[in-house]
Amino acid sequence: MGPVDILEILMKRPFYPNAIIAYRILLTIPVTVATAERSFSKLKLLKSYLRSTMTQERLNGLATIALENDVLEKINYEDVIEDFISRNTRRMTL
């Protein structure tokens, strides 16, 4: 019997409403801790690799890229490059 099964049993028997709330909070804590630990682990790797030549702004940018990797994978780089080129071409003609 897993933790989700225990929660389902508690929800079927509403005798202990505070136990249901406490158990739901308890089930969410490991996810939150794992996310924070992963973030600090990535930050530690970045800092140790590029510490001597990196400004705080660059470190923040690299940490954001490392943490939001799933969003980064969805970006179409060709569209970004074309947009960059077209904006710079307009500036040069002005």
Side-chain angles (χ1 to χ4, degrees):
M1 181 181 299
V4 176
D5 298 326
I6 294 171
L7 180 61
E8 288 176 358
I9 291 170
L10 286 173
M11 303 241 336
K12 290 178 184 175
R13 296 183 177 96
F15 307 119
Y16 306 105
N18 291 338
I20 294 170
I21 294 169
Y23 205 73
R24 286 174 54 196
I25 292 170
L26 183 66
L27 286 174
T28 60
I29 289 173
V31 173
T32 306
V33 171
T35 302
E37 287 178 0
R38 187 170 48 249
S39 299
F40 284 115
S41 175
K42 295 250 187 194
L43 184 62
K44 184 178 177 183
L45 287 171
L46 285 170
K47 285 184 94 169
S48 65
Y49 180 68
L50 296 169
R51 180 170 293 182
S52 62
T53 61
M54 190 181 319
T55 64
Q56 186 64 40
E57 183 179 352
R58 183 172 182 214
L59 175 64
N60 291 342
L62 289 172
T64 302
I65 288 171
L67 295 172
E68 301 295 338
N69 193 24
D70 54 335
V71 175
L72 191 63
E73 289 176 354
K74 296 176 184 175
I75 294 176
N76 185 353
Y77 293 106
E78 291 177 5
D79 291 342
V80 173
I81 292 169
E82 287 177 19
D83 186 42
F84 178 78
I85 291 171
S86 67
R87 287 179 189 220
N88 284 332
T89 305
R90 275 188 260 143
R91 284 186 192 162
M92 294 174 92
T93 58
L94 293 177

